[in-house]
Coordinates of all heavy atoms in Angstrom, one line a residue:
M137 N 96.3 118.8 93.4 CA 96.8 117.9 94.3 C 98.2 117.4 93.9 O 98.4 117.0 92.7 CB 95.8 116.7 94.4 CG 96.2 115.6 95.2 SD 95.1 114.3 95.2 CE 94.5 114.2 96.9
E138 N 99.2 117.4 94.8 CA 100.5 117.0 94.5 C 100.6 115.5 94.5 O 100.0 114.9 95.4 CB 101.4 117.6 95.5 CG 101.8 119.0 95.3 CD 102.6 119.3 94.1 OE1 103.6 118.6 93.9 OE2 102.3 120.3 93.3
P139 N 101.3 114.9 93.5 CA 101.4 113.4 93.6 C 102.4 113.0 94.7 O 103.3 113.7 95.1 CB 102.0 113.0 92.3 CG 102.6 114.3 91.7 CD 101.8 115.4 92.3
H140 N 102.0 112.0 95.4 CA 102.9 111.4 96.5 C 104.1 110.7 95.8 O 103.9 109.8 95.1 CB 102.1 110.5 97.4 CG 103.0 109.8 98.4 ND1 103.6 110.4 99.4 CD2 103.4 108.5 98.5 CE1 104.3 109.6 100.2 NE2 104.2 108.4 99.5
C141 N 105.3 111.1 96.1 CA 106.5 110.5 95.6 C 107.4 110.1 96.8 O 107.5 110.8 97.7 CB 107.3 111.4 94.6 SG 106.3 111.7 93.1
G142 N 108.0 109.0 96.7 CA 108.8 108.5 97.7 C 108.8 107.0 97.8 O 108.2 106.3 97.0
P143 N 109.4 106.4 98.8 CA 109.5 105.0 99.0 C 108.0 104.4 99.0 O 107.1 104.9 99.7 CB 110.1 104.7 100.4 CG 110.9 106.0 100.6 CD 110.1 107.1 99.9
G144 N 107.8 103.4 98.2 CA 106.5 102.7 98.2 C 105.4 103.4 97.4 O 104.3 103.0 97.4
A145 N 105.8 104.5 96.8 CA 104.8 105.3 96.0 C 104.7 104.8 94.5 O 105.1 105.4 93.6 CB 105.2 106.8 96.0
C146 N 104.3 103.5 94.5 CA 104.3 102.9 93.2 C 102.9 102.2 93.0 O 102.4 101.6 94.0 CB 105.4 101.8 93.2 SG 105.6 100.9 91.7
G147 N 102.3 102.4 91.9 CA 101.0 101.8 91.6 C 101.0 100.4 91.1 O 102.1 99.8 90.9
L148 N 99.9 99.8 90.9 CA 99.6 98.4 90.4 C 98.9 98.5 89.1 O 97.8 99.2 89.1 CB 99.0 97.5 91.5 CG 99.8 97.2 92.7 CD1 98.9 96.7 93.8 CD2 100.8 96.2 92.3
D149 N 99.3 97.8 88.1 CA 98.5 97.7 86.8 C 97.3 96.8 87.0 O 97.4 95.8 87.7 CB 99.4 97.2 85.7 CG 100.5 98.0 85.3 OD1 100.5 99.3 85.6 OD2 101.5 97.5 84.8
N150 N 96.2 97.2 86.4 CA 95.0 96.4 86.4 C 95.2 95.4 85.2 O 95.4 95.8 84.1 CB 93.8 97.2 86.2 CG 92.5 96.4 86.4 OD1 92.5 95.2 86.4 ND2 91.3 97.1 86.5
L151 N 95.0 94.1 85.6 CA 95.3 93.0 84.6 C 93.9 92.5 84.1 O 93.9 91.2 83.8 CB 96.1 92.0 85.2 CG 97.4 92.4 85.8 CD1 98.2 91.3 86.5 CD2 98.3 93.0 84.6
G152 N 92.9 93.2 84.0 CA 91.6 92.7 83.6 C 90.6 92.6 84.8 O 89.8 93.5 85.0
N153 N 90.8 91.7 85.6 CA 89.9 91.5 86.8 C 90.7 91.6 88.1 O 90.4 90.9 89.1 CB 89.2 90.2 86.7 CG 90.0 88.9 86.8 OD1 91.3 89.1 86.7 ND2 89.4 87.8 87.0
S154 N 91.8 92.4 88.1 CA 92.6 92.4 89.3 C 92.4 93.6 90.2 O 93.3 93.8 91.0 CB 94.2 92.3 88.9 OG 94.5 93.4 88.2
C155 N 91.4 94.4 90.0 CA 91.3 95.6 90.8 C 91.1 95.3 92.2 O 91.7 96.0 93.1 CB 90.2 96.5 90.2 SG 88.6 95.8 90.1
Y156 N 90.3 94.3 92.6 CA 90.2 94.0 94.0 C 91.5 93.4 94.6 O 91.8 93.7 95.7 CB 89.0 93.0 94.3 CG 87.6 93.5 94.0 CD1 86.8 93.0 93.0 CD2 87.2 94.6 94.8 CE1 85.6 93.5 92.8 CE2 85.9 95.1 94.5 CZ 85.1 94.5 93.6 OH 83.9 95.1 93.3
L157 N 92.1 92.5 93.8 CA 93.4 92.0 94.2 C 94.4 93.2 94.5 O 95.1 93.2 95.5 CB 94.0 91.1 93.1 CG 95.4 90.6 93.3 CD1 95.6 89.7 94.6 CD2 95.9 89.9 92.1
N158 N 94.4 94.1 93.6 CA 95.3 95.3 93.7 C 95.0 96.1 94.9 O 95.9 96.6 95.7 CB 95.3 96.2 92.5 CG 95.9 95.5 91.3 OD1 96.5 94.4 91.4 ND2 95.8 96.2 90.1
A159 N 93.7 96.2 95.2 CA 93.3 97.0 96.4 C 93.8 96.3 97.7 O 94.3 96.9 98.7 CB 91.8 97.2 96.5
V160 N 93.6 95.0 97.7 CA 94.1 94.2 98.9 C 95.6 94.3 99.0 O 96.1 94.5 100.2 CB 93.5 92.7 98.8 CG1 94.2 91.9 99.9 CG2 92.0 92.7 98.9
L161 N 96.3 94.2 98.0 CA 97.7 94.3 98.0 C 98.2 95.7 98.5 O 99.1 95.8 99.4 CB 98.4 94.2 96.6 CG 98.4 92.7 96.1 CD1 98.9 92.7 94.6 CD2 99.4 91.8 96.9
Q162 N 97.5 96.7 98.1 CA 97.8 98.1 98.6 C 97.6 98.2 100.1 O 98.5 98.7 100.8 CB 97.0 99.1 97.9 CG 97.3 99.3 96.4 CD 98.5 100.2 96.2 OE1 99.3 100.6 97.0 NE2 98.8 100.5 94.9
V163 N 96.5 97.6 100.6 CA 96.3 97.7 102.0 C 97.3 96.8 102.8 O 97.9 97.2 103.7 CB 94.8 97.1 102.3 CG1 94.7 96.9 103.8 CG2 93.8 98.1 101.8
L164 N 97.6 95.6 102.3 CA 98.5 94.7 103.0 C 99.9 95.4 103.1 O 100.6 95.3 104.1 CB 98.6 93.4 102.3 CG 97.5 92.4 102.5 CD1 97.7 91.2 101.6 CD2 97.4 92.0 104.0
L165 N 100.3 96.1 102.0 CA 101.7 96.6 101.9 C 101.8 97.9 102.6 O 102.9 98.6 102.6 CB 102.1 96.7 100.5 CG 102.3 95.3 99.8 CD1 102.6 95.4 98.3 CD2 103.4 94.5 100.5
H166 N 100.7 98.4 103.3 CA 100.7 99.6 104.1 C 100.5 99.3 105.6 O 100.4 100.1 106.4 CB 99.8 100.6 103.6 CG 100.3 101.3 102.3 ND1 100.1 100.8 101.1 CD2 101.0 102.5 102.3 CE1 100.7 101.6 100.2 NE2 101.2 102.6 100.9
L167 N 100.3 98.0 105.9 CA 100.0 97.6 107.3 C 101.5 97.4 108.0 O 102.3 96.7 107.5 CB 99.3 96.2 107.4 CG 97.8 96.3 106.9 CD1 97.3 94.8 106.9 CD2 97.1 97.2 107.8
R168 N 101.6 98.1 109.1 CA 102.9 98.1 109.8 C 103.4 96.6 110.1 O 104.6 96.4 109.9 CB 102.9 98.9 111.1 CG 102.9 100.4 110.8 CD 103.1 101.2 112.1 NE 103.2 102.6 111.7 CZ 102.3 103.5 112.1 NH1 101.3 103.2 112.8 NH2 102.4 104.7 111.7
P169 N 102.6 95.7 110.6 CA 103.2 94.4 110.9 C 103.7 93.7 109.5 O 104.7 93.0 109.5 CB 102.0 93.6 111.4 CG 101.1 94.7 111.9 CD 101.2 95.8 111.1
V170 N 103.0 93.9 108.4 CA 103.4 93.3 107.2 C 104.7 94.0 106.7 O 105.7 93.3 106.3 CB 102.4 93.4 106.1 CG1 102.8 92.9 104.7 CG2 101.1 92.6 106.5
L171 N 104.8 95.3 106.8 CA 106.0 96.0 106.4 C 107.2 95.6 107.3 O 108.2 95.4 106.8 CB 105.7 97.6 106.6 CG 104.9 98.2 105.5 CD1 104.5 99.6 105.8 CD2 105.5 98.1 104.2
R172 N 107.0 95.5 108.6 CA 108.0 95.1 109.4 C 108.6 93.7 109.0 O 109.8 93.4 109.0 CB 107.7 95.1 110.9 CG 107.8 96.4 111.6 CD 107.8 96.2 113.2 NE 106.4 95.7 113.6 CZ 105.4 96.5 113.8 NH1 105.5 97.8 113.7 NH2 104.2 96.0 114.2
L173 N 107.6 92.8 108.8 CA 108.1 91.4 108.4 C 108.9 91.4 107.1 O 109.9 90.8 107.0 CB 106.8 90.6 108.1 CG 107.1 89.1 107.7 CD1 107.9 88.3 108.8 CD2 105.8 88.5 107.3
L174 N 108.4 92.2 106.2 CA 109.1 92.3 104.8 C 110.4 93.0 105.0 O 111.4 92.8 104.3 CB 108.2 93.0 103.8 CG 107.0 92.2 103.4 CD1 106.1 93.1 102.5 CD2 107.4 91.0 102.6
E175 N 110.5 94.0 106.0 CA 111.8 94.8 106.1 C 112.8 94.0 106.9 O 114.0 94.0 106.6 CB 111.5 96.1 106.8 CG 110.8 97.1 105.9 CD 110.3 98.3 106.7 OE1 110.5 98.4 107.9 OE2 109.7 99.1 106.0
T176 N 112.4 93.2 107.9 CA 113.3 92.5 108.7 C 113.7 91.1 108.1 O 114.8 90.6 108.4 CB 112.7 92.2 110.2 OG1 111.5 91.4 110.0 CG2 112.5 93.4 110.9
Q177 N 112.8 90.6 107.3 CA 113.1 89.3 106.6 C 112.9 89.4 105.1 O 112.0 88.6 104.6 CB 112.3 88.2 107.3 CG 112.5 88.0 108.7 CD 111.5 87.0 109.3 OE1 110.8 86.3 108.6 NE2 111.5 86.9 110.6
P178 N 113.5 90.3 104.4 CA 113.2 90.4 102.9 C 113.5 89.1 102.2 O 114.6 88.5 102.3 CB 114.1 91.6 102.5 CG 115.2 91.6 103.5 CD 114.7 91.1 104.8
A179 N 112.6 88.7 101.4 CA 112.7 87.5 100.5 C 113.1 86.2 101.3 O 113.6 85.3 100.7 CB 113.8 87.9 99.4
E180 N 112.8 86.3 102.6 CA 113.2 85.1 103.3 C 112.5 83.8 103.0 O 113.0 82.8 102.9 CB 112.9 85.4 104.9 CG 113.5 84.5 105.8 CD 115.1 84.5 105.8 OE1 115.6 85.6 105.5 OE2 115.7 83.5 105.9
H181 N 111.2 84.0 102.6 CA 110.4 82.8 102.2 C 110.9 82.2 100.9 O 111.1 81.0 100.8 CB 108.9 83.2 102.0 CG 108.1 82.1 101.4 ND1 107.6 81.1 102.2 CD2 107.7 81.8 100.2 CE1 106.9 80.2 101.5 NE2 107.0 80.7 100.2
R182 N 111.2 83.1 99.9 CA 111.8 82.6 98.6 C 113.1 81.8 98.7 O 113.3 80.9 98.0 CB 112.0 83.8 97.7 CG 110.7 84.3 97.1 CD 110.9 85.4 96.1 NE 111.2 86.6 96.7 CZ 111.8 87.6 96.2 NH1 112.2 87.6 95.0 NH2 112.0 88.7 96.9
K183 N 113.9 82.1 99.8 CA 115.2 81.5 100.0 C 114.9 80.0 100.4 O 115.8 79.2 100.1 CB 116.0 82.2 101.0 CG 116.5 83.5 100.6 CD 117.3 84.2 101.7 CE 117.6 85.6 101.4 NZ 118.1 86.3 102.6
T184 N 113.9 79.7 101.1 CA 113.7 78.4 101.6 C 112.5 77.7 101.0 O 112.3 76.5 101.4 CB 113.5 78.5 103.1 OG1 112.4 79.3 103.4 CG2 114.8 79.1 103.8
C185 N 111.8 78.3 100.2 CA 110.6 77.7 99.6 C 110.9 76.5 98.7 O 111.8 76.6 97.8 CB 109.8 78.7 98.8 SG 108.2 78.0 98.2
A186 N 110.2 75.4 98.9 CA 110.5 74.2 98.1 C 109.5 74.1 96.9 O 109.7 73.1 96.1 CB 110.4 72.9 99.0
K187 N 108.6 75.0 96.8 CA 107.5 75.0 95.7 C 108.1 75.5 94.5 O 109.1 76.3 94.5 CB 106.4 75.8 96.2 CG 105.6 75.1 97.3 CD 104.3 76.0 97.6 CE 103.6 75.5 98.8 NZ 102.6 76.5 99.1
D188 N 107.5 75.2 93.3 CA 107.7 76.0 92.1 C 107.4 77.5 92.3 O 106.3 77.8 92.7 CB 106.9 75.4 91.0 CG 107.0 76.1 89.7 OD1 107.7 77.2 89.7 OD2 106.5 75.6 88.7
P189 N 108.3 78.4 92.2 CA 108.0 79.8 92.5 C 106.8 80.4 91.7 O 106.2 81.2 92.2 CB 109.3 80.6 92.1 CG 110.4 79.5 92.1 CD 109.7 78.2 91.8
S190 N 106.6 79.8 90.5 CA 105.5 80.4 89.8 C 104.1 79.9 90.3 O 103.1 80.4 90.0 CB 105.6 79.9 88.3 OG 105.3 78.4 88.2
E191 N 104.2 78.9 91.2 CA 102.9 78.5 91.8 C 102.7 78.9 93.3 O 101.7 78.7 93.9 CB 102.8 76.9 91.7 CG 102.7 76.5 90.3 CD 102.6 75.0 90.2 OE1 102.4 74.3 91.2 OE2 102.6 74.5 89.1
C192 N 103.8 79.4 93.9 CA 103.8 79.9 95.3 C 103.3 81.3 95.5 O 104.0 82.3 95.0 CB 105.2 79.7 95.9 SG 105.2 80.2 97.6
V193 N 102.1 81.5 96.1 CA 101.6 82.8 96.3 C 102.5 83.7 97.1 O 102.7 84.8 96.8 CB 100.1 82.7 96.9 CG1 99.7 84.1 97.3 CG2 99.2 82.0 96.0
M194 N 103.1 83.1 98.2 CA 104.0 83.9 99.0 C 105.2 84.3 98.3 O 105.7 85.5 98.5 CB 104.3 83.1 100.4 CG 105.1 83.9 101.3 SD 104.0 85.4 101.9 CE 105.3 86.3 102.7
C195 N 105.8 83.5 97.5 CA 107.0 83.9 96.7 C 106.7 85.1 95.8 O 107.4 86.1 95.7 CB 107.5 82.8 95.8 SG 108.4 81.4 96.7
Q196 N 105.5 85.0 95.1 CA 105.1 86.1 94.2 C 104.7 87.4 95.0 O 105.0 88.5 94.6 CB 104.0 85.6 93.4 CG 104.4 84.5 92.4 CD 105.6 84.8 91.6 OE1 105.8 85.9 91.1 NE2 106.5 83.8 91.5
F197 N 104.1 87.2 96.2 CA 103.8 88.4 97.0 C 105.0 89.1 97.4 O 105.1 90.3 97.3 CB 103.0 87.9 98.2 CG 102.7 89.0 99.2 CD1 101.7 90.0 98.9 CD2 103.4 89.2 100.4 CE1 101.4 91.0 99.8 CE2 103.2 90.2 101.2 CZ 102.2 91.1 101.0
E198 N 106.1 88.4 97.8 CA 107.4 89.0 98.2 C 107.9 89.8 97.0 O 108.4 90.8 97.1 CB 108.4 88.0 98.7 CG 108.1 87.5 100.1 CD 109.2 86.5 100.6 OE1 110.0 86.0 99.7 OE2 109.3 86.2 101.8
K199 N 107.9 89.2 95.7 CA 108.3 89.8 94.5 C 107.6 91.2 94.3 O 108.2 92.1 93.9 CB 108.3 88.9 93.4 CG 109.3 87.8 93.4 CD 109.2 86.9 92.2 CE 110.2 85.8 92.2 NZ 110.0 85.0 91.0
V200 N 106.3 91.1 94.4 CA 105.5 92.3 94.2 C 105.9 93.4 95.2 O 106.0 94.5 94.9 CB 104.0 92.0 94.2 CG1 103.2 93.3 94.2 CG2 103.6 91.2 93.0
A201 N 105.9 93.0 96.4 CA 106.3 93.9 97.5 C 107.7 94.6 97.3 O 107.8 95.8 97.4 CB 106.2 93.3 98.9
E202 N 108.6 93.8 96.9 CA 109.9 94.2 96.6 C 109.9 95.2 95.4 O 110.5 96.3 95.4 CB 110.8 93.1 96.2 CG 112.3 93.4 96.1 CD 113.1 92.1 95.9 OE1 113.2 91.3 96.9 OE2 113.4 91.8 94.7
A203 N 109.2 94.9 94.3 CA 109.1 95.8 93.2 C 108.4 97.0 93.5 O 108.8 98.2 93.0 CB 108.4 95.0 92.0
M204 N 107.4 97.1 94.3 CA 106.7 98.2 94.8 C 107.6 99.1 95.6 O 107.6 100.3 95.5 CB 105.4 97.9 95.4 CG 104.3 97.4 94.4 SD 102.7 97.1 95.2 CE 102.2 98.9 95.4
R205 N 108.4 98.5 96.5 CA 109.2 99.2 97.4 C 110.3 99.9 96.5 O 110.7 101.1 96.9 CB 109.9 98.3 98.4 CG 110.1 98.9 99.7 CD 110.6 97.8 100.8 NE 111.3 96.7 100.3 CZ 110.8 95.5 100.3 NH1 109.6 95.3 100.8 NH2 111.5 94.4 99.9
E206 N 110.8 99.3 95.5 CA 111.9 99.9 94.7 C 111.3 100.8 93.6 O 112.1 101.6 93.1 CB 112.7 98.7 94.0 CG 113.4 97.9 94.9 CD 114.0 96.6 94.3 OE1 113.8 96.4 93.1 OE2 114.7 95.9 95.0
G207 N 110.0 100.7 93.3 CA 109.4 101.6 92.4 C 109.4 103.0 92.9 O 109.9 103.3 94.0
G208 N 108.8 103.9 92.2 CA 108.7 105.2 92.6 C 107.6 106.0 91.9 O 106.8 105.4 91.3
C209 N 107.6 107.3 92.1 CA 106.6 108.1 91.5 C 106.4 107.9 90.0 O 107.4 107.9 89.3 CB 107.0 109.6 91.8 SG 105.7 110.7 91.4
G210 N 105.3 107.7 89.5 CA 104.9 107.5 88.1 C 105.3 106.1 87.6 O 105.1 105.9 86.4
R211 N 105.7 105.2 88.5 CA 105.9 103.8 88.0 C 104.8 102.9 88.6 O 104.1 103.3 89.5 CB 107.3 103.4 88.6 CG 108.4 104.2 88.1 CD 109.8 103.5 88.1 NE 109.8 102.2 87.6 CZ 110.5 101.2 88.1 NH1 111.3 101.4 89.1 NH2 110.5 100.0 87.6
S212 N 104.7 101.8 87.9 CA 103.7 100.8 88.3 C 104.3 99.4 88.2 O 105.2 99.2 87.5 CB 102.4 101.0 87.5 OG 102.7 100.7 86.2
V213 N 103.7 98.5 88.9 CA 104.0 97.1 88.8 C 102.8 96.3 88.4 O 101.7 96.5 88.7 CB 104.4 96.6 90.3 CG1 104.6 95.2 90.4 CG2 105.6 97.4 90.8
A214 N 103.1 95.4 87.5 CA 102.1 94.4 87.0 C 102.2 93.1 87.8 O 103.1 92.3 87.6 CB 102.2 94.1 85.5
P215 N 101.2 92.9 88.7 CA 101.3 91.6 89.6 C 100.9 90.4 88.8 O 100.2 89.6 89.4 CB 100.4 92.0 90.8 CG 99.4 92.9 90.2 CD 100.1 93.7 89.1
R216 N 101.3 90.3 87.6 CA 100.9 89.2 86.7 C 101.2 87.8 87.3 O 100.3 86.9 87.3 CB 101.5 89.3 85.4 CG 101.0 88.4 84.3 CD 101.5 88.8 82.9 NE 100.7 89.9 82.4 CZ 101.1 91.2 82.3 NH1 102.3 91.5 82.7 NH2 100.3 92.2 81.9
L217 N 102.5 87.5 87.8 CA 102.8 86.2 88.3 C 102.1 85.9 89.6 O 101.7 84.8 89.8 CB 104.3 86.1 88.4 CG 105.1 86.2 87.1 CD1 106.6 86.2 87.4 CD2 104.7 85.1 86.2
L218 N 101.8 86.9 90.4 CA 101.1 86.8 91.6 C 99.6 86.3 91.3 O 99.1 85.4 91.8 CB 101.1 88.0 92.5 CG 100.2 88.0 93.8 CD1 100.6 86.8 94.7 CD2 100.3 89.2 94.5
K219 N 99.0 87.1 90.4 CA 97.7 86.7 89.9 C 97.6 85.3 89.4 O 96.7 84.6 89.6 CB 97.2 87.7 88.9 CG 95.8 87.6 88.5 CD 95.4 88.7 87.6 CE 94.0 88.4 86.9 NZ 93.9 87.4 86.0
Q220 N 98.6 84.9 88.6 CA 98.6 83.5 88.1 C 98.8 82.5 89.1 O 98.1 81.4 89.1 CB 99.7 83.4 87.1 CG 99.6 84.1 85.7 CD 100.8 84.1 84.8 OE1 101.8 83.5 85.2 NE2 100.7 84.7 83.7
A221 N 99.6 82.7 90.2 CA 99.8 81.8 91.3 C 98.4 81.7 92.0 O 98.0 80.6 92.4 CB 100.9 82.3 92.2
I222 N 97.8 82.8 92.3 CA 96.4 82.8 92.9 C 95.5 82.1 92.0 O 94.6 81.3 92.6 CB 96.0 84.2 93.3 CG1 96.9 84.8 94.3 CG2 94.5 84.2 93.8 CD1 96.7 86.3 94.6
G223 N 95.5 82.2 90.8 CA 94.6 81.6 89.8 C 94.7 80.1 89.8 O 93.7 79.5 89.5
K224 N 95.9 79.6 90.2 CA 96.0 78.2 90.3 C 95.4 77.6 91.5 O 95.1 76.4 91.6 CB 97.5 77.8 90.3 CG 98.2 78.0 88.9 CD 99.6 77.8 88.9 CE 100.2 78.1 87.5 NZ 101.6 77.9 87.4
K225 N 95.1 78.5 92.5 CA 94.4 78.1 93.7 C 92.9 78.4 93.6 O 92.1 77.8 94.3 CB 95.0 78.7 94.9 CG 96.5 78.5 95.0 CD 96.9 78.1 96.4 CE 98.4 77.8 96.4 NZ 98.8 76.6 96.1
N226 N 92.5 79.4 92.8 CA 91.2 79.9 92.8 C 90.9 80.3 91.3 O 91.4 81.3 90.8 CB 91.0 81.1 93.7 CG 89.5 81.6 93.7 OD1 88.8 81.5 92.7 ND2 89.1 82.0 94.9
A227 N 90.0 79.6 90.7 CA 89.7 79.8 89.3 C 89.2 81.2 88.9 O 89.3 81.6 87.7 CB 88.7 78.7 88.8
T228 N 88.7 81.9 89.9 CA 88.2 83.3 89.6 C 89.3 84.2 89.0 O 89.0 85.0 88.2 CB 87.7 83.9 90.9 OG1 86.6 83.1 91.5 CG2 87.1 85.3 90.7
F229 N 90.6 83.9 89.5 CA 91.7 84.7 89.0 C 92.4 84.0 87.8 O 93.5 84.6 87.4 CB 92.6 85.0 90.2 CG 92.0 85.9 91.2 CD1 91.4 85.4 92.3 CD2 92.0 87.3 91.0 CE1 90.8 86.3 93.2 CE2 91.5 88.2 91.9 CZ 90.9 87.7 93.0
A230 N 92.0 82.9 87.4 CA 92.7 82.2 86.3 C 92.6 82.9 84.9 O 93.4 82.6 84.1 CB 92.2 80.8 86.2
S231 N 91.7 83.8 84.8 CA 91.5 84.5 83.5 C 91.5 86.0 83.8 O 91.6 86.4 84.9 CB 90.3 84.1 82.7 OG 89.2 84.6 83.3
N232 N 91.4 86.8 82.7 CA 91.2 88.2 82.8 C 89.8 88.6 82.7 O 89.4 89.8 82.6 CB 92.0 88.9 81.7 CG 93.5 88.8 82.0 OD1 93.9 88.6 83.2 ND2 94.3 89.0 81.0
K233 N 88.9 87.6 82.7 CA 87.5 87.9 82.6 C 86.9 88.6 83.8 O 87.2 88.3 84.9 CB 86.8 86.5 82.4 CG 85.3 86.6 81.9 CD 84.9 85.2 81.7 CE 83.5 85.2 81.1 NZ 83.0 83.9 80.8
Q234 N 86.1 89.7 83.5 CA 85.5 90.4 84.6 C 84.2 89.7 85.1 O 83.7 88.8 84.3 CB 85.0 91.7 84.0 CG 86.1 92.7 83.6 CD 86.8 93.4 84.7 OE1 86.2 93.4 85.9 NE2 87.9 93.9 84.5
Q235 N 83.9 89.9 86.3 CA 82.6 89.4 86.8 C 81.5 89.9 86.0 O 81.5 91.0 85.7 CB 82.4 89.7 88.3 CG 83.2 88.9 89.3 CD 82.9 89.4 90.7 OE1 82.7 90.5 90.9 NE2 82.8 88.3 91.5
G236 N 80.6 89.0 85.6 CA 79.4 89.5 84.8 C 79.7 89.4 83.3 O 78.8 89.7 82.5
D237 N 80.9 89.1 82.9 CA 81.2 89.1 81.4 C 80.6 87.9 80.7 O 80.6 87.8 79.5 CB 82.7 88.9 81.1 CG 83.4 90.2 81.2 OD1 82.8 91.3 81.4 OD2 84.8 90.2 81.2
D238 N 80.0 86.9 81.5 CA 79.3 85.8 80.9 C 78.0 86.1 80.3 O 77.3 85.2 79.9 CB 79.3 84.6 81.9 CG 78.5 85.0 83.2 OD1 78.0 86.1 83.3 OD2 78.5 84.1 84.1
G239 N 77.5 87.3 80.5 CA 76.3 87.7 80.0 C 75.1 87.6 81.0 O 74.0 88.0 80.8
G240 N 75.4 86.9 82.1 CA 74.4 86.8 83.1 C 74.3 88.1 83.9 O 75.0 88.9 83.9
S241 N 73.2 88.2 84.6 CA 72.9 89.3 85.4 C 73.7 89.3 86.7 O 73.9 88.2 87.3 CB 71.5 89.6 85.7 OG 71.0 88.4 86.4
M242 N 74.1 90.4 87.2 CA 74.8 90.5 88.5 C 73.7 90.5 89.6 O 72.7 91.2 89.4 CB 75.7 91.7 88.7 CG 76.7 91.6 87.5 SD 78.4 91.9 87.9 CE 78.6 92.3 89.5
R243 N 73.9 89.8 90.7 CA 72.9 89.8 91.8 C 73.4 90.4 92.9 O 74.5 90.4 93.3 CB 72.4 88.4 92.0 CG 71.7 87.9 90.8 CD 71.4 86.4 91.0 NE 71.0 85.9 89.7 CZ 70.5 84.8 89.4 NH1 70.4 83.9 90.4 NH2 70.2 84.4 88.2

């Protein structure tokens, strides 16, 4: 199988418990409406956002999208700051702990 190389052919690093986050990012960044928005208004949100960029999910989403667009074959992006911004809104993403790491059984 030949590796796909070209625009947007960039992977995402797993940061412990970010595999689902990464899967959702991959899907979002391949949806035409999202791509059109990012192409027609690149970094538009970051220019006008009044929040601390480290706490703003949209600011960090734009940065990840930009890094993935600029990446290429064999490169990857670590969505660390996006995961941290999400972690400030949802404690599930606040650490690198996997689901079930607490010793409890998965149901």
Side-chain angles (χ1 to χ4, degrees):
M137 179 183 241
E138 286 289 316
H140 171 70
C141 292
C146 183
L148 290 163
D149 293 337
N150 188 346
L151 305 173
N153 65 349
S154 66
C155 57
Y156 290 120
L157 171 66
N158 290 354
V160 170
L161 285 172
Q162 291 281 8
V163 169
L164 286 173
L165 293 172
H166 283 85
L167 293 174
R168 285 192 177 114
V170 175
L171 288 173
R172 268 195 300 273
L173 178 68
L174 292 170
E175 289 169 0
T176 59
Q177 301 175 10
E180 198 61 36
H181 174 81
R182 283 185 282 162
K183 292 176 189 172
T184 59
C185 184
K187 296 179 186 175
D188 176 352
S190 69
E191 295 184 5
C192 179
V193 173
M194 188 62 194
C195 286
Q196 297 307 321
F197 176 75
E198 284 183 348
K199 288 181 183 181
V200 168
E202 189 176 284
M204 288 185 72
R205 214 174 25 251
E206 293 171 357
C209 189
R211 297 202 47 218
S212 64
V213 171
R216 189 168 281 107
L217 295 176
L218 175 59
K219 185 175 172 293
Q220 288 173 0
I222 293 169
K224 290 178 182 179
K225 305 227 180 277
N226 184 325
T228 302
F229 291 97
S231 74
N232 289 339
K233 196 173 181 181
Q234 295 282 342
Q235 283 183 317
D237 278 356
D238 60 3
S241 62
M242 302 229 355
R243 295 175 193 186

